[in-house]
Amino acid sequence: MFDAKLQTKPAVRMQRSRGAARAGFTGARLTGLHQSGSAKAILPRVPGSPEVVFLNTSGGLTSGDTLSYETQLDAGAMLVATTQAAERAYRADDGPAQVEVRHSVGSGCHLDWLPQETILFDRAKLARDTTISLASNASCLMLEAVVLGRAAMGEQVRDLQFFDMRRIERAGKPVFFEPFLLNSDILAKGGRSAVLGEARAFATLVLCRQGAEDAVEPLRAVLDEPGVEGAASGFDGKCVIRLLAQDGWPMRRQILRLFNALRRDQAAPRVWQI
């Protein structure tokens, strides 16, 4: 007799990546380092401020993956933190991948958080939460850059769930708060045209420090990369730059020019250099 139960295959539990990396600095001295799972923290020898390069060895993110990066700065530490390569969010048939980024910037400290681009592929699901907590006299430069598929490969992104929360707090009070949502419903209703136009790459760069408003005019002077639209504004100790680009490559060139204008005493992180 045919037994249907014998023909039923058990559900396959897919392996998920888990990763967490943390680095702490007191002044120019490394005081704490932790890495587990797929997350690594590399400490290259570079002139000037210490540099941390975070790396996700899983090669990308999909349903159920979790990744966290964290830094702790004290006693006047000056740190550049970036990522080894562009992060990739691939097709996800279940729930979203989760990414959490936490930076604590103590008294008199400064952090440059300059991750490379996040590339979102069709049917990707990604939820990311980034918080930079500043002491009352600390400062930071934060970048978030996103590319929708690879133009050179003819990729189109029509099905997507992407939620990106970005916060900068000073002494526990929010000074920059930006929730960003882009999903299939928005794309289907023409939201992409309303928000992004023909662009498939976009970025936000935020400088928080005393007198940040003074950077607006010098930055506007270099917002002329072909294929990139850009704008800069400044108020209340912040300078915010927005970029829209037809592809990730011209946006990357524009970001590097902004780095040069904002970080005159330091070259771009080596992993960023073209």
Side-chain angles (χ1 to χ4, degrees):
M1 180 181 293
F2 176 77
D3 189 342
K5 293 183 179 180
L6 297 177
Q7 304 300 315
T8 302
K9 294 182 179 180
V12 177
R13 291 182 59 85
M14 304 298 291
Q15 184 176 5
R16 303 304 184 193
S17 69
R18 304 282 187 272
R22 300 190 298 271
F25 287 83
T26 299
R29 181 167 59 92
L30 177 69
T31 53
L33 179 65
H34 167 85
Q35 49 191 12
S36 63
S38 64
K40 308 298 179 186
I42 303 169
L43 304 170
R45 293 185 178 180
V46 295
S49 300
E51 186 173 303
V52 174
V53 181
F54 291 109
L55 171 64
N56 176 18
T57 60
S58 71
L61 298 165
T62 186
S63 289
D65 293 345
T66 61
L67 184 65
S68 68
Y69 298 140
E70 183 178 346
T71 64
Q72 174 78 46
L73 278 63
D74 294 300
M78 312 287 281
L79 179 69
V80 179
T82 184
T83 54
Q84 175 68 25
E87 188 60 81
R88 290 165 169 80
Y90 294 113
R91 169 180 167 176
D93 292 328
D94 200 352
Q98 304 278 345
V99 176
E100 184 177 62
V101 179
R102 294 286 181 269
H103 300 296
S104 178
V105 187
S107 179
C109 299
H110 177 84
L111 170 71
D112 284 349
W113 172 233
L114 309 174
Q116 298 196 63
E117 307 91 335
T118 297
I119 302 175
L120 302 175
F121 292 85
D122 196 40
R123 300 179 66 179
K125 296 178 183 177
L126 175 62
R128 181 171 58 194
D129 192 319
T130 300
T131 300
I132 300 178
S133 299
L134 302 174
S136 59
N137 61 343
S139 58
C140 72
L141 176 64
M142 179 184 76
L143 170 70
E144 292 293 354
V146 177
V147 179
L148 302 179
R150 298 169 298 182
M153 303 297 291
E155 295 167 348
Q156 297 294 324
V157 177
R158 298 184 177 89
D159 189 353
L160 178 69
Q161 292 185 24
F162 177 53
F163 180 67
D164 199 14
M165 177 67 76
R166 309 154 189 172
R167 303 182 188 88
I168 301 175
E169 302 171 350
R170 184 181 298 282
K173 297 181 179 180
V175 294
F176 181 81
F177 179 80
E178 184 172 78
F180 180 85
L181 174 66
L182 188 62
N183 60 23
S184 301
D185 291 339
I186 294 173
L187 294 174
K189 295 176 181 178
R192 175 173 175 176
S193 297
V195 176
L196 302 178
E198 297 300 319
R200 61 187 299 144
F202 52 96
T204 299
L205 193 60
V206 184
L207 175 67
C208 283
R209 71 179 183 202
Q210 185 176 2
E213 305 92 327
D214 297 338
V216 171
E217 292 306 321
L219 291 172
R220 287 175 175 169
V222 299
L223 287 173
D224 56 2
E225 180 68 33
V228 181
E229 296 181 54
S233 62
F235 59 96
D236 194 24
K238 294 186 293 293
C239 178
V240 181
I241 305 100
R242 309 283 190 182
L243 301 176
L244 288 174
Q246 297 171 6
D247 191 17
W249 187 246
M251 184 175 74
R252 188 180 183 87
R253 289 198 301 265
Q254 179 64 85
I255 289 171
L256 284 168
R257 295 180 65 191
L258 292 168
F259 285 174
N260 291 336
L262 285 166
R263 308 170 70 249
R264 293 182 182 278
D265 59 336
Q266 285 187 289
R270 186 172 301 173
V271 293
W272 265 93
Q273 294 176 19
I274 298 175

